[in-house]
Amino acid sequence: MLGKWSRKLGPSRLIALSFVILILTGTFLLCLPVSARDGNFTSPLDALFTATSATCVTGLIVADTFTKWSLFGQIVILILIQIGGIGLMSFISMFFIFMKRKLSLQERMLLMQAAGNTQLSGMVKLVRRIVSGTFLIEGCGALLLALRFIPRMGFGQGLYYAVFHAISAFCNAGFDLMGRYEAFSSLTGYASDVLVNITVMLLIIIGGIGFLVWDDILKCRLSFKNYSLHSKIVLVTTPVLLVGGAIGYFVFEQNYTLQGNGIGEQILKSFFASTTMRTAGFNTIDYASMSPSASLLSDVLMMIGGSPDGGMKITTITLVFLSMVSMLRGQSDTIIGKRRVSTILIKQAAVIILVYAVYILAGTMLICHIEGLPMSNVLFEVISAVCTVGVTTGITPHLCAMSHIILIILMYGGRIGGFTLMLILGKQNKQPLRRPKENILIG
């Protein structure tokens, strides 16, 4: 059945459609009175916004997750985060594998695109490792978080909170339940807790690196030269961005959000902000109180994003940057790690950056026009939405319905990927004729 659908719609459209179906299902469930803490129906727009944010593992919210949603509603959100983080196609495929049904070639091709893999071989094994690895890492994270949450909340509540936040962190979603202490407080109550901070950061980093990289690490061990070019780029640039971002926050925030903290807590908060700003939506500092320099740094980190999800992606930015360096050196080819990169790939990377730039500019201009808010705050929120990061300066709950619809569209477009969305909406040109070439002045 899946093979027939994939042949009719194509992999890109089927992946996009699967997210729509999941979002609409979550919207329906969150509208029900059983999902709300007060037992009343939730407005369809608020439910749609929350379901989109959870499925697209973003983290922007219109109402505090703990104070708004009942246990049933929280579990619906958690399931949306888990399926959205791993991918609906992976879950469907695991069901078929569990039922001992062989996947067709079309289904394997669909899985390859959904997982972001470049090779068709070994897809079934990769999906098994993705699902089992996800549960294993989330389980380890939950056990570590439980060491802090259980003594404070009791066994049942503490364990539930540990599982919820471990899944949210690993899937880079940023949803939290700390509204039981203060609405919209995220992890500010644990800002100085080393165990909670390091556990959440590790979960975010492991999830942000992506399973293709970890699959390379498991297969090649410490033999870095045998890693794929994708893995090499991610493993080299991720530490650079983490450390560079942390240094930036440490310097820029001395007279702002880090003022009055000890040196150890300043370093911890700086690294946490650098980690969560690229892919997740947690916070231990007040982003609305950041310095202008730190706010701009945050915009840049959000746009870069992680590896499989979030932002324009590390590999995209790295590829365009190295291509620019090669051009400045007068080289016709872009060489990375003794490998020549395809010109088509460089063009696709440039298109992705342009698409995201259009999304961000259009979204910012529209919301600024509708709301009359300062551009810096709106820009921060728009980038957070389209790059599926989920950090906020606190303006999202106070926006009007039209602005929420714009953010919903941006979160969805950011999750399925700018290039994928353009392929879906664009018309395929099958014209085999090559037109005459003419140069234009650029630069």
Side-chain angles (χ1 to χ4, degrees), residues 84-360:
I86 295 179
L88 183 59
M89 293 299 103
S90 296
F91 268 99
I92 293 175
S93 301
M94 275 306 299
F95 174 76
F96 286 154
I97 294 170
F98 179 77
M99 298 298 293
K100 297 182 178 180
R101 175 189 177 281
K102 291 186 177 180
L103 300 181
S104 67
L105 178 61
Q106 288 289 333
E107 291 164 348
R108 289 171 188 265
M109 290 178 65
L110 177 63
L111 263 180
M112 181 184 72
Q113 181 160 337
N117 199 8
T118 58
Q119 297 180 348
L120 189 60
S121 60
M123 278 308 306
V124 174
K125 290 183 179 179
L126 178 61
V127 170
R128 285 198 183 108
R129 285 195 290 267
I130 288 175
V131 176
S132 59
T134 294
F135 293 143
L136 176 63
I137 296 169
E138 289 173 350
C140 292
L143 289 176
L144 291 173
L145 292 176
L147 296 176
R148 285 291 187 269
F149 294 162
I150 288 178
R152 187 178 185 184
M153 306 174 189
F155 182 81
Q157 193 83 334
L159 184 61
Y160 168 63
Y161 269 56
V163 171
F164 187 99
H165 290 88
I167 293 174
S168 183
F170 180 75
C171 293
N172 290 190
F175 279 80
D176 68 89
L177 299 176
M178 295 305 167
R180 66 176 290 163
Y181 302 111
E182 182 183 353
F184 302 103
S185 61
S186 191
L187 297 177
T188 54
Y190 292 89
S192 59
D193 192 310
V194 176
L195 178 61
V196 172
N197 276 259
I198 291 180
T199 300
V200 172
M201 282 192 287
L202 286 175
L203 287 170
I204 293 171
I205 292 170
I206 293 171
I209 284 177
F211 276 104
L212 296 181
V213 177
W214 286 111
D215 192 51
D216 250 2
I217 294 174
L218 291 174
K219 289 188 297 185
C220 303
R221 304 297 179 180
L222 298 178
S223 181
F224 188 78
K225 64 179 182 179
N226 292 326
Y227 291 174
S228 67
L229 183 57
H230 171 86
S231 297
K232 290 177 180 178
I233 293 174
V234 172
L235 291 174
V236 169
T237 54
T238 295
V240 172
L241 288 171
L242 288 174
V243 175
I247 293 174
Y249 285 115
F250 184 82
V251 173
F252 297 145
E253 290 300 285
Q254 284 299 313
N255 296 322
Y256 291 85
T257 58
L258 299 182
Q259 190 173 25
N261 298 141
I263 185 69
E265 189 170 346
Q266 289 181 359
I267 294 173
L268 190 62
K269 286 183 175 180
S270 297
F271 268 100
F272 191 91
S274 180
T275 302
T276 191
M277 194 58 72
R278 288 193 303 111
T279 52
F282 296 105
N283 67 281
T284 56
I285 60 175
D286 182 10
Y287 293 137
S289 303
M290 286 193 304
S291 67
S293 297
S295 182
L296 183 58
L297 172 63
S298 301
D299 291 341
V300 173
L301 291 176
M302 284 191 290
M303 286 190 288
I304 293 174
S307 172
D309 301 309
M312 301 176 190
K313 298 179 181 57
I314 292 175
T315 47
T316 303
I317 299 295
T318 302
L319 182 57
V320 172
F321 175 77
L322 293 179
S323 176
M324 178 190 69
V325 172
S326 297
M327 185 176 295
L328 292 175
R329 290 177 175 176
Q331 300 171 346
S332 58
D333 295 326
T334 300
I335 308 297
I336 306 177
K338 297 182 180 180
R339 292 291 188 272
R340 181 171 58 87
V341 180
S342 168
T343 304
I344 295 177
L345 200 61
I346 296 172
K347 288 181 180 179
Q348 290 176 345
V351 168
I352 290 172
I353 293 176
L354 182 60
V355 168
Y356 271 93
V358 171
Y359 286 169
I360 292 168

